[in-house]
Amino acid sequence: MIRGAHVILYSTDAEADRVFLRDLLGLPHVDAGDGWLIMQLPPGEVAVHPAETSGAAELYLVCDDVEAAAAELERRGFPVEGGVSDQGWGRLTAVRMPGGGRLGLYEARHPTAFGP
């Protein structure tokens, strides 16, 4: 029986990004061996969007108030890029990871699948 999902982020500086995520999320993690950290994620959902080609993926951390969450991340030393953009269906911003990847921060304005 399926009991979870495992997200893989590819990075040119995987070790630094693992430490970054550990510190950013502040959630439990395990060492899979030789310092290879695997972090617990908050509850998640998956959506499939139309695209010209298949295979691309993005990771967004969902919050109730993106501006408050961004301010808290900034206070903790995680710079947020480019302010908050309003897309109508949600509000977005992002944090740049040490390896260069973007980690999105998302306030949904539509129903979510997180349950009651």
Side-chain angles (χ1 to χ4, degrees):
M1 187 48 113
I2 296 171
R3 64 184 190 107
H6 182 86
V7 176
I8 299 172
L9 302 177
Y10 294 94
S11 172
T12 58
D13 193 347
E15 190 172 322
D17 282 348
R18 289 183 199 122
V19 170
F20 177 86
L21 284 173
R22 179 199 66 201
D23 295 346
L24 177 93
L25 296 172
L27 293 171
H29 61 277
V30 296
D31 186 328
D34 298 321
W36 190 295
L37 302 180
I38 298 177
M39 274 58 65
Q40 181 185 75
L41 287 173
E45 60 185 13
V46 63
V48 179
H49 290 227
E52 294 294 319
T53 60
S54 294
E58 296 179 354
L59 178 59
Y60 284 86
L61 300 175
V62 179
C63 59
D64 293 328
D65 182 338
V66 71
E67 288 176 342
E72 173 64 14
L73 290 177
E74 291 270 356
R75 186 190 68 72
R76 291 178 45 211
F78 299 100
V80 175
E81 288 191 338
V84 174
S85 69
D86 190 328
Q87 303 297 312
W89 40 261
R91 300 170 71 217
L92 309 173
T93 193
V95 176
R96 183 68 61 183
M97 297 171 61
R102 288 179 80 242
L103 181 61
L105 196 59
Y106 176 38
E107 175 188 333
R109 287 191 176 143
H110 57 76
T112 63
F114 293 116

